[in-house]
């Protein structure tokens, strides 16, 4: 837990235009810096048709006053305080590619994350089996925009072209990329090439761990 | 792909208070209903210190005009149009519990999702190995707030108490819960109890698939 303790506020609100502006105004009045927001239309359950707004807040004058004032906004149904997604789900290892390989990388990563989380860290392993150059390229590129994405493992038999370009976009955001040993230019662009998928998953977790001693950049460009 | 085609707009902006309000105002002027927002402070890469804002938009008068007007806001560095996270990563199977079991459920779910995604669906398998009643209870409860979370699989040897209460919170949001066969009251609350973790992962994917024929609620309360 190297990040300072922030807190999350969840609101259920009328899904009308402008309500995000009103919430933003109240937060600004309280000097509450919104460092992460997720808002979604509720499509199920008792709040169906309303919107969920999840705020992660830092540097607020008084959290309880903020919650009280948020409750006075027109169209607000409910306001609750929670732990943040960073506190609950932590850093994310993202794994994508062919199903057979993704499943093996996930096995390595989940088992290694288990060992870290038992000692108080929070590391998630999030996967999507996906094939095809354009499908994969846009998914890889989107990793740069995923909240809390900390490392990407590409697991397949052949990847190149637009996928390789997308790898560079992700690396520009300082998210390292591990590739399995495979055909194509993707592995040339990767920060690390690993032959065994279990090992690739374990190394990905070790790199992003705040207590581990493994630093991928110290062996950058090498193949294991 | 049963959802209507929306689009995503990513903005890199100054991290000053009130900018979310300005973005909300411009969207409101264009009758652009923001159905999903993610905003985060950038902690790495060339945009470090700025904020990422990702908007998912529906029902906008003119998307290009909206993008142009967003670019005129004070403090906006960059505006890009993308596919949405729903289009790219789709519905999410969430798996949590002990590392050994989570890894096996993930293997079943990833391999089954692979078969679906090859035929044009988008199903992700997102996992976190986590133990301890309070840790797990707050993580389970948070699933109700996770974007695109469609089903939860609890994979462990013993779960009950606050975890069982949290299961009911998730179910109230119409997110079904599968439990492995295990000790404790969690499996009594689950919609389905499955002995084999591979099978649990496969069934979870089959249930949320838009093309599958398996409906968990038709066998609700049963054990396999």
């Amino acid at each position: 837990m190297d990040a300072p303790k922030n807190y999350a506020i969840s609101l259920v609100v009328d899904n009308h235009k402008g309500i995000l502006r009103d919430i933003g105004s109240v937060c600004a009045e309280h000097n509450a810096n919104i460092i992460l927001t997720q808002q979604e239309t509720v499509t199920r359950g008792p709040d169906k048709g309303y919107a969920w707004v999840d705020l992660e807040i830092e540097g607020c004058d008084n959290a309880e006053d903020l919650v009280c004032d948020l409750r006075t906004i027109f169209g607000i149904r409910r306001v609750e305080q929670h732990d943040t997604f960073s506190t609950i789900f932590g850093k994310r290892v993202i794994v994508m590619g062919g199903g057979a390989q993704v499943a093996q990388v996930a096995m390595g990563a989940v088992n290694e994350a288990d060992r870290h989380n038992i000692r108080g860290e929070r590391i998630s392993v999030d996967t999507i089996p996906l094939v095809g150059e354009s499908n994969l390229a846009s998914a890889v590129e989107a990793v740069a925009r995923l909240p809390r994405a900390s490392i990407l493992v590409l697991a397949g038999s052949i990847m190149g072209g637009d996928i390789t370009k997308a790898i560079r976009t992700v690396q520009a955001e300082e998210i390292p990329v591990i590739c399995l040993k495979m055909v194509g230019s993707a592995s040339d662009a990767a920060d690390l090439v690993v032959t065994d998928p279990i090992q690739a998953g374990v190394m990905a977790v070790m790199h992003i761990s705040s207590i581990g001693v493994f630093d991928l950049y110290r062996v950058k460009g090498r193949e294991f």
Side-chain angles (χ1 to χ4, degrees), chain A residues 130-209:
Chain A
L130 211 51
V131 294
E133 184 179 338
S134 68
N135 286 343
L136 261 173
S138 64
V140 168
E141 204 189 48
V143 170
R145 305 193 299 278
L146 271 184
R148 298 173 288 107
S150 302
I151 192 166
L152 171 64
V153 184
L154 287 172
S157 301
I158 173 165
M159 292 188 195
D162 288 343
I163 301 169
T164 306
K165 285 182 207 160
I167 288 174
R168 299 211 169 89
T169 313
V170 171
Q171 288 168 326
E173 299 296 326
E174 293 172 26
I175 298 173
V177 179
I178 295 177
C179 271
L180 296 191
K181 191 162 182 172
M182 66 171 92
V183 178
S185 61
S187 48
D188 298 335
D191 295 292
L192 202 65
V193 176
V194 182
T195 306
D196 175 56
I198 301 271
Q199 185 76 294
V202 172
M203 284 183 171
V205 171
M206 286 168 71
H207 174 71
I208 66 170
S209 161

Side-chain angles (χ1 to χ4, degrees), chain A residues 47-109:
Chain A
D47 298 316
K48 189 173 173 175
Y50 291 89
W52 250 118
V53 180
D54 230 78
L55 306 176
E56 193 173 320
I57 300 284
E58 83 177 352
C60 169
D61 295 340
N62 184 319
E64 287 175 18
D65 285 355
L66 171 61
V67 167
C68 284
D69 281 2
L70 286 170
R71 288 201 175 112
T72 67
I73 295 175
F74 177 74
I76 297 274
R77 269 165 76 85
R78 200 160 68 238
V79 183
E80 289 166 9
Q81 204 173 323
H82 295 287
D83 281 338
T84 64
F85 283 144
S86 300
T87 302
I88 296 171
F89 297 111
K91 298 173 185 171
R92 301 165 77 182
V93 176
I94 312 292
V95 188
M96 52 179 74
Q101 298 96 324
V102 167
Q104 293 301 310
V105 173
M107 179 171 292

